[in-house]
Amino acid sequence: MYQRILLPIDGSPPSEHAAAVGLALAKRLGASVVLVHVIEPQRYRELRDVQEALERARTVGRALLEQWERKASRAQVACATQLTSTEPESRPGVAEALVDAGVAHGCDLVVMGTHGRTGLPRVLLGSVAERMARLAPVPLLLVRGDDTKPTLFKRILVAIDGSSCSDLALQHADELAGALKARLLVVYVVPDLSQLYVSAGRAWMFTDPAQLQAQLAQEQAHLREQGEFILREAAQRCKHARVHTVLREADRHLIGERIREVAEEEKAELIVMGTHGRTGLRKFLLGSVAEDVAQQARQPILLVRNPAALTHPDETHLPPPGER
């Protein structure tokens, strides 16, 4: 499973909580952590002297890293620290500096904090976390900043749809659940064809309402059979965890809403979802199932992106889980 976890540290409450979750997870997995602080002198604009602001930023960064290095030592988790910056000014931002650190240390998971239960989209879009999701093919675990309860990940939910992206998410969820001795819940939500017909403008094809309803019922039954098949195959592919499958009809509800509903019913402590596309999380979130889940779910979310989707020349390739 994951062998080296990147923990960005900036001193904010979400960062502190996420680092604590990441450190506890590393201990359970027998992994090491890499604590990284990115120096941002612009945070000290009240200091008129640029050099003085830079030194203040370095001092704060070193203190934060030393504090978390002591915590890692007490937890008996091997750690490395890195103080880095976005200097010179021509260099890209914080996310790029974190990705560089992840590459240098061979990290295969990133754990980051988000600001509040409903703040995830605002924090991600155009932010460090969104950039990290776009640039790094390694999984990104997003932890709510307002959730201070211990997270043991005893119940893990993975949402699948039969795509290659969800297949990779299933693989990660299975291995993680096995390593943590957790129960794995595999969920498939059957789309509501009546909504799809209306949104696609296909209802006009049927002048007879009874004919339309018959066609919808037939195709809906086919979708359900397809979902049952996908779940059976998914359960057979899981080799590491105790698996329970759930097929849920959307039935005029959003698919993301149904996923969150199952997560609450089953008391899931982690939701795993796949991402796809050249532009990564931004493309996957906007107008999608993941946007709804990310915006509303109370649980931490593990986003797994297929490295094969990284075709843009400015995107860096990080190693798959466990490889060096």
Side-chain angles (χ1 to χ4, degrees):
M1 201 54 220
Y2 307 122
Q3 297 183 15
R4 193 165 297 163
I5 302 175
L6 179 68
L7 303 180
I9 306 294
D10 65 15
S12 67
S15 168
E16 295 284 296
H17 179 55
V21 170
L23 192 61
L25 181 61
K27 183 175 179 62
R28 295 180 66 191
L29 294 176
S32 62
V33 298
V34 178
L35 307 168
V36 178
H37 177 79
V38 180
I39 297 171
E40 298 179 87
Q42 61 270 25
R43 288 190 175 188
Y44 302 92
R45 293 175 181 173
E46 72 276 6
L47 300 177
R48 296 181 179 179
D49 184 82
V50 175
Q51 190 60 37
E52 185 180 357
L54 181 60
E55 287 303 317
R56 173 76 64 84
R58 286 174 177 165
T59 299
V60 171
R62 291 192 191 98
L64 283 171
L65 290 177
E66 289 172 0
Q67 173 190 355
W68 279 98
E69 189 174 19
R70 290 192 295 270
K71 291 183 179 180
S73 178
R74 287 196 297 270
Q76 298 182 324
V77 173
C79 79
T81 62
Q82 182 173 335
L83 188 67
T84 187
S85 71
T86 57
E87 300 293 335
E89 293 184 359
S90 59
R91 183 180 176 182
V94 174
E96 286 78 1
L98 292 173
V99 169
D100 287 347
V103 171
H105 291 276
C107 296
D108 47 22
L109 175 67
V110 180
V111 180
M112 297 186 71
T114 65
H115 296 269
R117 179 176 176 181
T118 59
L120 182 57
R122 295 194 299 272
V123 171
L124 282 180
L125 300 181
S127 72
V128 175
E130 188 272 337
R131 289 287 293 170
M132 286 292 290
R134 290 207 308 134
L135 297 175
V138 298
L140 176 64
L141 175 57
L142 298 168
V143 181
R144 300 285 183 197
D146 59 352
D147 186 2
T148 57
K149 296 180 181 179
T151 305
L152 300 177
F153 300 141
K154 290 184 177 180
R155 292 172 174 261
I156 298 175
L157 179 151
V158 57
I160 65 172
D161 61 8
S163 68
S164 59
C165 297
S166 73
D167 286 346
L168 187 61
L170 176 68
Q171 176 186 334
H172 279 256
D174 178 40
E175 293 185 19
L176 182 59
L180 297 177
K181 296 180 172 55
R183 182 171 183 259
L184 179 61
L185 184 70
V186 184
V187 178
Y188 182 91
V189 178
V190 182
D192 183 358
L193 270 182
S194 63
Q195 293 187 21
L196 295 179
Y197 265 71
V198 172
S199 63
R202 293 183 61 188
W204 67 269
M205 298 170 59
F206 301 89
T207 56
D208 182 1
Q211 183 186 10
L212 173 60
Q213 291 303 318
Q215 181 71 19
L216 285 174
Q218 181 180 352
E219 294 190 18
Q220 193 73 49
H222 176 70
L223 277 183
R224 184 179 181 88
E225 291 175 1
Q226 186 180 56
E228 291 170 347
F229 175 78
I230 290 172
L231 281 177
R232 284 196 301 270
E233 278 207 329
Q236 292 172 1
R237 288 201 302 271
C238 292
K239 305 299 182 182
H240 304 280
R242 298 169 295 153
V243 178
H244 176 60
T245 61
V246 173
L247 184 74
R248 185 64 57 91
E249 298 274 359
D251 191 23
R252 301 186 183 277
H253 291 266
L254 296 174
I255 292 178
E257 183 180 351
R258 288 304 197 197
I259 292 172
R260 291 186 283 106
E261 181 180 88
V262 175
E264 290 298 320
E265 291 173 359
E266 299 291 336
K267 297 181 173 56
E269 296 179 350
L270 174 67
I271 297 175
V272 183
M273 301 188 74
T275 67
H276 59 82
R278 173 176 294 183
T279 55
L281 185 59
R282 183 185 294 270
K283 182 175 180 180
F284 185 63
L285 282 180
L286 294 179
S288 71
V289 174
E291 178 182 21
D292 180 53
V293 175
Q295 185 177 10
Q296 301 294 335
R298 297 185 304 105
Q299 298 83 354
I301 298 177
L302 178 63
L303 296 171
V304 179
R305 186 180 179 195
N306 191 341
L310 289 180
T311 57
H312 198 278
D314 69 351
E315 294 180 329
T316 308
H317 291 263
L318 299 185
E323 287 192 11
R324 294 290 174 267

